[in-house]
Amino acid sequence: MIHSARNCAVGLALVAVVTAACTDPASTPTPTTSTPTVSVPTTTELPTTPADPRLASAEEAVTRFSNLLDVLGADPMRSLDELTTVSRGQTLETWRDMLTNQRRRGQKQIGTVAITLSGAKPTNDGKVTVDACLDVSKTDLVDKAGKSVVSKDRVPRVRYTYVVEQGTDGRFYVVQDKAVGTC
Amino acid sequence: MLKRGSLAAILGLLLGLLSAASASAAGPVSCTPPAVYNRVSGVCTVVVTNPGAPVKNRPKSGAGQSAHAAAPACVNLNGDTIPCRDGESWWSNGWGCYVRPMKPQPPKSDPRWNGHGDGAVYECYDPMVARAGGIAVTYRWSAAPPAGPVAPPDPRVLAQTAIAQMRLRAIGIGIVPEPGPNRVGIIGMPTWMWAADPGPATLGPITRTASAGGFTVTATAKADRIVWQMGDGATVTCRGAGTPYADSFGRQSSPDCGYTYTHQGTYTVRATSYWRVDWSGMGLTGTIPLTFTRATVITMGEAQVLTQ
C-alpha cells in the first residue's frame, strides 16, 4: 500500500471545511463551517417501554447505534465496518464519512453520550421512528494535540429522531437520524 | 474523471455547500441538508460523498502533456496529486481511498452488503487514516466499481456486451394443432408444444466473453424453462425443447410438453423462455435474468358426428 507522506493538513475535503483551505502545511484544520443556534427547549418526554416487540427492538437498535458511535469515535483502531451491523443507507454513509474524516484529522472523542429514549412509533411504510434525547455534556472531541475542537456554542442536550427498519435478516437498522432540537 | 469544462460546476457545488452550511448557522440544531449535525462537536458539517478534486489544487497540465488532453487526476482529499494505482487497487476520488473488490466476496448474510444482493463489497484503503494511526481499511458495498480515473469497467456492462454477442431470441413455436387459416384442432385431443428451432440462441447453453481495458468477463446463458400461456387462462411450464409431433404419435399426449383444450375457440398461445445468465470476471460474479416471448394463434373446434 502507498504510505507517502503528505505535508498538507489531513482530511479537509470529504467534510467540506472549505474555509480551512489546504494551503498552509502548518495550519491547523478548523472543523466547523457553522454553529447551530439553540432552539427553545421543549417539554421533556417520559421514557416508555413499548409493548410491541418491534418497537422495543427499534429502540434497542438506536441505543446500540448511539453507543457504537461513542466507541468508534474514541478508538481509531476499531473498524468502522461495525457501523454496518446497526445502520444502513444514508445514516451509514453519513457517519462512516464523518468518523473517517475525524480519523484523518487524528481527532478522538472523549466521554460518552447519554441517551434517553422518549418514544417509538410505527410508520405507514413499516418502519419505526424513535425519539431520543442525547446528553453530550460529558463528551469532548480533541485533536492530535489534545485540544478541544468542540464548538463553544454546542448545546448540552440534543433531541434526535431516528428511523429504524427491519432487514430481511430480521435485524433492526438505523436508516435515518436527524437532530431536531434541544431537550 | 473531472474535466476542465466542469470547473464552473464544481465551483457551483462548493458554493452551494458553503451556502448550505451558512444557512444552517441561522437555523436550529437540525442542520440544513446536506449539512449534518455532529452531536459531539456541535457543528453542522457538510458531508460530501463525491467531492472530486478540490478546485484550487486541481493539477495543471504539466510538461509533456497536451493542453487539450488533461491527464487523469487522482487527487486526495487534501488536493495532492497521488498515484492512481496501488497494486490491484485504483484510486477513487469520490471515496477518497484506494479500492478493489474484496476477495473473496463475503457471504450475502454479511452486514457489509448493506442489505443488497447485487453489486459487490469493495475494500477501501485510506492512506490519510493510515498516517493518522487509525484502521485504514473499510469495506463498502457498491452497485458498480467506484469511479476513478483508472477504474476498471463495470463488469455488468461487459456481461451485457457478452450477452449481446449471443444474439439470444425467443423460440420458434412448434405446436399441433398448427396455426393458420383452415387449421382447426379438436377439443379433447392432445396439443403438443415444442421449440421449433432448438439451439444455443433459443435454449442455450451458450458462452461468450467480452473484454475492455485488459479486463474480461465471461457469461454463460441457458434457458431455464419455457412457460406456455395457452390463451384460455392455463399455463404449462416445460423444461427443455419439448417433443415435435409426428403423425405416428396418433392420439398420444406429448411426453414432456402438452395440453388439452376443453372448449372450442381461437386462442393466442404465448411461449416465454426464461433465461439465466451467469457471469464472472474481475473477481466478481453475478446473474442476469432474461425473458423472450413469441406468440401464435390456434383454433380449436368440436368434432361433430354425422349419422343418417
Side-chain angles (χ1 to χ4, degrees):
Chain A
M1 289 296 185
I2 292 173
H3 299 271
S4 59
R6 302 290 173 192
N7 293 326
C8 207
V10 294
L12 295 183
L14 182 63
V15 175
V17 190
V18 283
T19 54
C22 190
T23 54
D24 180 4
S27 67
T28 301
T30 53
T32 65
T33 55
S34 61
T35 300
T37 57
V38 181
S39 62
V40 178
T42 59
T43 55
T44 303
E45 298 178 60
L46 295 175
T48 58
T49 303
D52 185 340
R54 288 186 70 249
L55 302 186
S57 296
E59 288 191 341
E60 288 171 11
V62 168
T63 301
R64 282 190 289 122
F65 173 68
S66 180
N67 293 342
L68 182 60
L69 292 183
D70 285 339
V71 172
L72 297 176
D75 184 0
M77 294 310 292
R78 288 281 293 263
S79 173
L80 295 182
D81 293 339
E82 292 183 52
L83 283 170
T84 62
T85 63
V86 70
S87 63
R88 282 181 175 173
Q90 187 60 46
T91 290
L92 170 63
E93 300 298 328
T94 295
W95 283 100
R96 181 160 51 196
D97 287 346
M98 188 101 75
L99 291 167
T100 296
N101 194 60
Q102 288 181 191
R103 291 181 174 194
R104 285 173 178 145
R105 299 176 184 177
Q107 296 175 344
K108 290 182 184 177
Q109 178 181 331
I110 295 172
T112 57
V113 174
I115 180 170
T116 302
L117 302 171
S118 56
K121 55 187 176 185
T123 65
N124 292 333
D125 57 356
K127 299 175 184 174
V128 178
T129 60
V130 177
D131 292 323
C133 180
L134 305 187
D135 184 344
V136 300
S137 61
K138 293 183 171 57
T139 65
D140 197 359
L141 188 65
V142 298
D143 62 17
K144 283 181 284 190
K147 180 184 175 186
S148 176
V149 296
V150 169
S151 166
K152 61 180 174 54
D153 296 323
R154 181 184 73 175
V155 294
R157 286 177 298 281
V158 186
R159 189 148 55 87
Y160 264 79
T161 294
Y162 300 88
V163 177
V164 181
E165 71 177 13
Q166 188 172 18
T168 55
D169 58 0
R171 301 184 65 152
F172 286 78
Y173 297 90
V174 179
V175 294
Q176 289 179 40
D177 66 304
K178 187 176 183 183
V180 293
T182 59
C183 50
Chain B
M1 182 176 67
L2 293 169
K3 297 177 180 177
R4 286 164 175 263
S6 62
L7 190 63
I10 294 166
L11 189 58
L13 170 66
L14 290 175
L15 290 174
L17 297 177
L18 274 174
S19 63
S22 300
S24 66
V29 172
S30 55
C31 305
T32 303
V36 178
Y37 186 77
N38 184 320
R39 62 184 198 166
V40 177
S41 67
V43 299
C44 287
T45 308
V46 179
V47 176
V48 182
T49 56
N50 188 16
V55 174
K56 65 183 293 294
N57 288 323
R58 183 74 46 80
K60 299 175 179 64
S61 296
Q65 291 178 328
S66 165
H68 300 288
C74 291
V75 182
N76 71 10
L77 299 176
N78 277 344
D80 302 323
T81 301
I82 59 174
C84 288
R85 283 203 177 279
D86 179 20
E88 293 181 351
S89 303
W90 68 93
W91 179 260
S92 164
N93 284 326
W95 284 11
C97 59
Y98 287 99
V99 295
R100 65 178 176 183
M102 188 178 175
K103 293 180 182 178
Q105 288 286 294
K108 288 291 170 35
S109 58
D110 192 299
R112 288 172 293 190
W113 281 98
N114 206 1
H116 298 280
D118 60 345
V121 177
Y122 292 86
E123 178 188 295
C124 166
Y125 170 75
D126 189 327
M128 296 174 73
V129 173
R131 282 197 296 277
I135 285 186
V137 175
T138 56
Y139 295 91
R140 302 183 178 196
W141 172 88
S142 181
V150 297
D154 187 340
R156 300 171 305 173
V157 174
L158 285 181
Q160 292 290 354
T161 302
I163 291 171
Q165 295 172 9
M166 298 176 184
R167 299 183 179 278
L168 305 178
R169 64 179 190 271
I171 62 165
I173 292 180
I175 191 167
V176 164
E178 296 173 351
N182 305 319
R183 300 280 187 172
V184 180
I186 300 174
I187 61 173
M189 295 284 283
T191 296
W192 290 47
M193 297 94 74
W194 67 94
D197 52 353
T202 54
L203 294 173
I206 182 171
T207 299
R208 292 290 184 273
T209 62
S211 300
F215 297 93
T216 298
V217 165
T218 300
T220 298
K222 188 176 188 309
D224 175 64
R225 64 193 185 279
I226 299 171
V227 175
W228 297 79
Q229 294 172 277
M230 304 309 296
D232 61 351
T235 60
V236 178
T237 300
C238 301
R239 309 277 175 180
T243 304
Y245 179 79
D247 291 342
S248 60
F249 292 130
R251 299 182 58 165
Q252 293 181 47
S253 295
S254 169
D256 51 9
C257 192
Y259 182 68
T260 301
Y261 285 95
T262 56
H263 294 89
Q264 62 181 346
T266 299
Y267 300 102
T268 299
V269 178
R270 290 185 170 83
T272 301
S273 40
Y274 288 81
W275 290 74
R276 174 189 168 104
V277 184
D278 294 313
W279 61 264
S280 64
M282 302 167 60
L284 301 173
T285 61
T287 300
I288 299 172
L290 294 173
T291 60
F292 299 93
T293 300
R294 193 182 301 277
T296 191
V297 177
I298 62 171
T299 301
M300 303 301 296
E302 197 166 351
Q304 303 264 337
V305 178
L306 300 177
T307 57
Q308 287 185 319

